[in-house]
């Protein structure tokens, strides 16, 4: 089955490349560019201008009905619930509501960068709806910012002829510090769980070895280093999960440095169901009263939307400087597309796991709930499964530094994390069985 899925995904990726190249060749160089207040919604050779206006909360917004029709879909009003609509593109329906920054796709609730709103009797959605959300839903949509075009490619019927099966990587690689080479073309298909299959969680203790991570707190007090706290909490989480019958694979069990781009392949080799990376947050020194920053937050892999999300991504990705052989170079276009498809496949599941973790931590954590966030975190890039990074607190805050370095509090946090992971696995298994 995996080989068939891999063949199909390769065909889709290649077709996207061909379609993109074909479109670039068939569009005349002298084609009229859209004016400053419109973008073009393009389906094949047909295009339609879509009004673009300023969003009340900043950024831009697109006229919803024109966007849907330009992509070969439609905007349908809900007759029973005023203010609610379904925007349909191909086989995908997205339920939107005036005044809401959340949308519903099937059974999943997803965030937008701003709310849906009405102006001049017309409904508008944030630009990110077309630039970010639709491309991730398997609609064949992509956004070209330079040309100000939203394009939709015709569906591709992929060949079902499977290539020769590849040998699976040995799970033993997960227990070594040998650099595991990621398979840059194959996408691991999600496995249907059964009650007979032991679930696998990969727990990643952030930093390690020469990379101390953050150190704190600000203003004095017992000194803590992130690498020690993350390892202690990860070991507590391992014990809590194993007590629930879950198999746990640790990316590190000692004070050693594991490369950011090696951690995901370790998880893939172990055939993990989820990947959870444990970290400690640090305040930006330029903040007003940085030592007072507190709270916990959980990240999944997506483009950072705020300055604070970009700060966390930059801070956690900085470990690359300690690696002598970090593979951070680009890849061929097909390899990039295949990795992107693998991560998008698990995007909504990662968001759901992050939400459950935040809900569980808030029952014991003394700091404020800073919410579910998204950023381009290198440690999550190569883990082809639902993957999150948990910031368990601010080590720069004296109170939270004391809290997260206390062994009893660490065990308490680990139990709540295990509760959330166990609940996620059970919910996902129910969805798969349905």
């Amino acid at each position: 089955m995996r080989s068939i899925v891999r063949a199909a995904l390769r065909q889709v990726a290649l077709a996207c490349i061909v379609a993109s190249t074909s479109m670039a060749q068939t569009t005349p160089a002298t084609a009229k560019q859209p004016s400053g207040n419109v973008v073009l919604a393009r389906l094949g050779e047909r295009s339609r201008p879509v009004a673009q206006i300023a969003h009340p909360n900043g950024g831009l917004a697109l006229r919803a009905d024109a966007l849907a029709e330009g992509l070969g879909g439609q905007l349908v009003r809900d007759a029973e619930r005023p203010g609610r609509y379904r925007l349909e593109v191909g086989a995908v329906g997205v339920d939107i509501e005036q005044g809401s920054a959340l949308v519903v796709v099937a059974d999943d609730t997803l965030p937008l960068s701003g709310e849906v709103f009405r102006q001049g009797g017309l409904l508008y959605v944030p630009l990110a709806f077309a630039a970010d959300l639709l491309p991730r839903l398997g609609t064949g949509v992509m956004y070209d910012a330079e040309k100000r075009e939203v394009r939709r490619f015709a569906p591709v019927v992929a060949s079902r002829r499977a290539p020769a099966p590849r040998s699976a990587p040995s799970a033993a690689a997960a227990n070594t510090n040998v650099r595991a080479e990621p398979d840059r073309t194959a996408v691991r298909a999600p496995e249907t769980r059964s009650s007979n299959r032991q679930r696998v969680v990969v727990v990643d203790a952030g930093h390690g070895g020469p990379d101390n991570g953050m150190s704190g707190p600000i203003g004095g007090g017992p000194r803590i280093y992130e690498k020690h706290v993350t390892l202690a909490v990860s070991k507590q989480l391992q014990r809590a999960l194993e007590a629930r019958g879950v198999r746990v694979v640790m990316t590190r069990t000692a004070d050693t440095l594991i490369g950011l781009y090696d951690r995901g392949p370790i998880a893939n080799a172990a055939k993990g169901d989820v990947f959870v990376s444990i970290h400690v947050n640090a305040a930006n020194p330029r903040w007003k009263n940085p030592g007072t920053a507190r709270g916990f937050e959980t990240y999944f892999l997506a483009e950072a939307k705020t300055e604070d999300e970009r700060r966390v991504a930059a801070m956690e990705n900085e470990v690359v400087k300690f690696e002598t052989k970090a593979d951070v170079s680009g890849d061929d276009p097909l390899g990039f597309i295949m990795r992107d498809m693998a991560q998008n496949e698990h995007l909504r599941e990662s968001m759901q796991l992050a939400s459950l973790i935040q809900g569980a931590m808030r029952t014991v954590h003394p700091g404020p709930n800073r919410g579910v966030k998204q950023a381009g975190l290198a440690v999550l890039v190569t883990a082809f499964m639902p993957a999150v990074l948990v910031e368990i607190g601010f080590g720069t805050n004296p109170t939270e530094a004391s809290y997260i370095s206390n062994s009893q509090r660490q065990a308490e946090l680990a139990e709540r994390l295990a509760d959330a992971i166990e609940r996620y696995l059970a919910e996902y298994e129910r969805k798969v069985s349905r």
Side-chain angles (χ1 to χ4, degrees):
M1 179 63 185
R2 287 188 192 174
S3 59
I4 292 174
V5 173
R6 287 173 177 169
L9 289 174
R10 288 193 185 97
Q11 292 290 332
V12 173
L14 288 170
C16 288
I17 295 173
V18 172
S20 178
T21 304
S22 174
M23 179 170 289
Q25 291 172 345
T26 57
T27 303
T30 57
K32 184 178 179 180
Q33 293 292 318
S35 62
N37 60 347
V38 300
V39 299
L40 289 181
R42 186 181 295 276
L43 178 61
E45 294 300 312
R46 188 184 69 182
S47 66
R48 170 170 179 168
V50 179
Q52 176 180 265
I53 64 174
H55 193 284
N57 294 341
L60 299 171
L62 301 177
R63 180 175 160 181
D65 60 335
L67 173 66
E69 292 168 10
L71 297 176
Q74 61 180 342
L75 181 68
V76 181
R77 182 194 297 268
D78 190 324
E80 298 180 355
R81 296 177 291 184
R84 295 192 179 186
Y85 300 79
R86 167 163 285 204
L87 194 150
E88 298 176 346
V89 177
V92 177
V94 183
D95 295 322
I96 61 178
E97 183 175 1
Q98 182 180 339
S100 174
L102 298 173
V103 302
V104 177
V105 182
D107 294 327
D108 294 307
T109 301
L110 306 175
L112 292 175
S113 58
E115 71 271 10
V116 177
F117 68 98
R118 183 177 292 278
Q119 182 171 308
L122 299 173
L123 197 70
Y124 289 85
V125 294
L127 176 61
F129 182 93
D132 183 46
L133 180 69
L134 287 181
R136 295 184 181 275
L137 298 180
T139 55
V141 171
M142 68 170 288
Y143 176 65
D144 188 326
E146 184 177 353
K147 294 183 178 180
R148 296 207 309 279
E149 286 184 356
V150 184
R151 308 174 194 158
R152 181 180 171 215
F153 300 111
V156 177
V157 179
S159 168
R160 294 186 64 82
R161 184 176 179 182
R166 306 171 67 115
S167 58
S170 170
N175 297 320
T176 71
N177 290 334
V178 178
R179 182 179 181 82
E181 287 298 325
D183 183 344
R184 299 186 183 280
T185 58
V187 177
R188 184 169 65 85
E191 298 182 33
T192 302
R193 294 188 182 88
S194 71
S195 57
N196 296 325
R197 178 179 175 271
Q198 187 180 29
R199 295 167 293 185
V200 179
V201 174
V202 179
V203 178
D204 172 55
H207 306 275
D211 173 29
N212 290 323
M214 66 74 55
S215 61
I218 294 174
R223 202 73 176 163
I224 70 166
Y225 294 98
E226 181 175 7
K227 66 176 182 178
H228 298 316
V229 175
T230 61
L231 183 58
V233 173
S234 295
K235 288 181 175 180
Q236 294 274 21
L237 178 56
Q238 178 185 23
R239 284 191 282 270
L241 286 170
E242 288 178 343
R244 291 164 166 79
V246 177
R247 177 174 168 241
V248 177
V249 173
M250 302 281 285
T251 58
R252 71 179 179 97
T253 57
D255 187 14
T256 56
L257 177 66
I258 308 296
L260 283 182
Y261 292 90
D262 290 332
R263 299 179 189 232
I266 289 174
N268 299 333
K271 298 182 180 179
D273 292 294
V274 297
F275 177 89
V276 179
S277 188
I278 306 297
H279 287 259
V280 176
N281 215 334
N284 187 328
R286 292 191 295 273
W287 288 350
K288 183 178 180 181
N289 300 323
T292 62
R294 300 171 57 233
F296 55 98
E297 56 196 23
T298 305
Y299 284 79
F300 65 96
L301 180 65
E303 181 184 359
K305 298 295 185 184
T306 68
E307 184 61 36
D308 191 49
E309 289 171 347
R310 287 188 285 271
R311 173 191 66 83
V312 171
M315 177 177 67
E316 301 299 356
N317 292 343
E318 193 179 17
V319 63
V320 172
K321 70 184 181 182
F322 293 98
E323 303 170 28
T324 58
K325 297 180 180 180
D327 179 12
V328 296
S329 60
D331 206 324
D332 61 282
L334 176 59
F336 171 80
I337 289 175
M338 297 306 292
R339 287 195 305 275
D340 186 58
M341 290 172 73
Q343 288 144 8
N344 290 345
E345 177 187 0
H346 300 294
L347 177 68
R348 285 179 289 176
E349 293 300 321
S350 298
M351 188 189 305
Q352 175 65 12
L353 174 58
S355 298
L356 290 173
I357 285 175
Q358 284 296 114
M361 290 180 67
R362 67 183 297 181
T363 63
V364 295
H365 201 292
N369 182 349
R370 297 170 64 89
V372 173
K373 299 186 177 182
Q374 59 190 75
L377 293 154
V379 70
L380 304 181
V381 167
T382 52
F384 296 151
M385 62 196 66
V388 296
L389 183 147
V390 186
E391 298 280 5
I392 61 173
F394 278 80
T396 46
N397 179 283
T399 302
E400 286 203 349
S402 175
Y403 173 79
I404 62 178
S405 58
N406 180 285
S407 60
Q408 185 176 346
R409 302 284 81 81
Q410 290 172 350
E412 194 175 58
L413 277 174
E415 287 290 336
R416 298 292 78 77
L417 290 172
D419 288 344
I421 294 168
E422 184 180 36
R423 179 180 170 187
Y424 166 78
L425 291 170
E427 289 183 359
Y428 184 71
E429 190 164 352
R430 284 195 295 271
K431 283 194 286 187
V432 169
S433 65
R434 288 200 301 267

